[in-house]
Amino acid sequence: MVSFAPGFELPPFYCPVDEALHPDFDELRQRCVAWADNTGLYGNDAVERAWGLYGTHADLAFARCCPVAPKERQYILMLWALWVFVGDDNHHHDETAVGLTGRPGGPDLKMARMVDLGGRLLCAADGPDQVLSGGSETVQRLSRTNAEIVNMMRSVGTATQVQRFLDRQRQWVLGELWLASVLELGRVPTVEEYTMQRHSASGGLPGFELAAFAQDLRLSDTERNDPALVTAISAANLVISWDNDLISYPKEAFHGEGKGNMVGVIAHHLNCSPQDAVAEVTAIRDRVMSLFLGLHDKLSRSRNSQVRQFGDLLSHFIRGHLDWSAAIPRYREITDHKTPPPPDLPPITMEWTDTPSDTRMTPVDIAPIAGWWDQLK
């Protein structure tokens, strides 16, 4: 276990996947920073800019999660990574703006405003002429830059690639609103509810489709909807989501959002401490990781090279997310983001293990996902 925050230790991570980084990252990083400044992605807030570009450093996340895409498509992917974290970082320190993934954190953050933001962003994704007037300055810049990124996608991608991404982005917005509504009602979701809410309320699903666009994968609907691939995508998404829950729990607990996290949900229902809940979350996570590895092995034997590439893409995402999370101040510096991130903050020391904490290859006791294991037969 790694001491991470007072009274909280991270488990060893079972992830037998090699780390990777896009070879053009340094050049693309400079272009991403220039774009963010030229478009006003961070407004006039120097602290928000510092947290976005250096505290969160989301372009690094997708350079690790998608290390093999052609340069110009990779650039679009990294821009979206910067964009998508603006709202999440913004809503904690600016109570006048609800973030894209901003769960209610106080009396000024109302569900109605979150729904309004979600609707505006979905409209903006349909094109620059769909950016609606009204709303806060933050809403306007999120809408405008979202439209610009999707327009870039349309200029080089196929209609199918773009539509698959937009469909997942809509699912993500809806998932965030669903989870936020439960929390605003003051109710802790059940493990089953939270699993499905977290599955939708995750940037992984649109991220996978954007990475498929970046690698120019062109699977037919029949190939893309193959049950083994669909299940591998879902399993990878939950592994990443639960890894994020483990790493971000101290940060979310600091902001009063610990019950919107698998650690907090398990702790509530088992009536145990968050640290004790970590072992249960890790066991569930490792069993789904083992499922994913079995499905990845199955996909790797496909005659279709693009199916094999999609399976590898998912593997890179799982490992890349962990490497990025360890490297940045976002999860290490647990503050209200009213000052810039410390410049020399050491990374989180990750422990790795070659063996899952729970070696069973039987379905976990979460009914909505128990059928996933049928795809190993």
Side-chain angles (χ1 to χ4, degrees), residues 163-326:
Q163 191 59 52
R164 286 174 178 166
F165 164 72
L166 292 177
D167 288 345
R168 286 302 202 182
Q169 187 165 263
R170 290 187 181 95
Q171 179 182 355
W172 173 44
V173 170
L174 179 60
E176 285 288 349
L177 295 176
W178 180 22
L179 179 56
S181 69
V182 173
L183 298 177
E184 187 171 88
L185 291 171
R187 183 172 66 82
V188 179
T190 67
V191 173
E192 288 187 357
E193 284 178 320
Y194 180 77
T195 296
M196 301 317 294
Q197 289 164 346
R198 194 66 174 92
H199 181 45
S200 293
S202 165
L205 294 177
F208 297 157
E209 296 302 336
L210 196 54
F213 151 82
Q215 294 181 209
D216 199 19
L217 301 185
R218 303 190 179 198
L219 296 175
S220 68
D221 287 344
T222 299
E223 294 163 337
R224 177 61 182 75
N225 294 323
D226 176 78
L229 179 56
V230 169
T231 305
I233 291 169
S234 296
N237 187 53
L238 271 185
V239 169
I240 293 167
S241 298
W242 287 333
D243 285 347
N244 181 255
D245 281 1
L246 287 164
I247 294 168
S248 68
Y249 180 78
K251 171 178 173 281
E252 294 185 3
F254 174 84
H255 291 292
E257 299 174 358
K259 292 183 179 179
N261 179 299
M262 189 64 157
V263 175
V265 170
I266 292 288
H268 175 82
H269 289 294
L270 295 185
N271 194 27
C272 65
S273 70
Q275 188 61 63
D276 289 340
V278 166
E280 181 68 19
V281 175
T282 304
I284 297 171
R285 177 262 185 214
D286 284 358
R287 289 172 70 180
V288 177
M289 181 67 187
S290 295
L291 166 66
F292 168 77
L293 292 171
L295 292 168
H296 178 269
D297 182 64
K298 185 175 182 178
L299 296 175
S300 70
R301 297 192 297 272
S302 172
R303 296 180 181 179
N304 187 323
S305 63
Q306 294 205 350
V307 170
R308 300 195 298 271
Q309 290 176 59
F310 209 121
D312 291 342
L313 175 161
L314 298 172
S315 295
H316 285 308
F317 255 85
I318 295 173
R319 177 58 191 258
H321 169 260
L322 288 170
D323 291 326
W324 164 74
S325 298

Side-chain angles (χ1 to χ4, degrees), residues 65-82:
C65 292
C66 185
V68 297
K71 185 190 298 186
E72 293 309 308
R73 288 181 176 236
Q74 180 72 19
Y75 172 59
I76 298 171
L77 173 67
M78 289 168 60
L79 292 183
W80 186 79
L82 289 180

Side-chain angles (χ1 to χ4, degrees), residues 118-168:
R120 288 173 180 274
L121 294 180
L122 294 181
C123 285
D126 288 332
D129 59 338
Q130 300 298 312
V131 176
L132 304 178
S133 61
S136 70
E137 181 273 337
T138 301
V139 169
Q140 283 297 302
R141 59 185 159 100
L142 281 170
S143 298
R144 176 172 42 78
T145 47
N146 185 30
E148 182 172 331
I149 292 169
V150 177
N151 226 33
M152 290 183 191
M153 291 184 65
R154 289 194 174 96
S155 70
V156 295
T158 68
T160 298
Q161 288 171 338
V162 175
Q163 191 59 52
R164 286 174 178 166
F165 164 72
L166 292 177
D167 288 345
R168 286 302 202 182

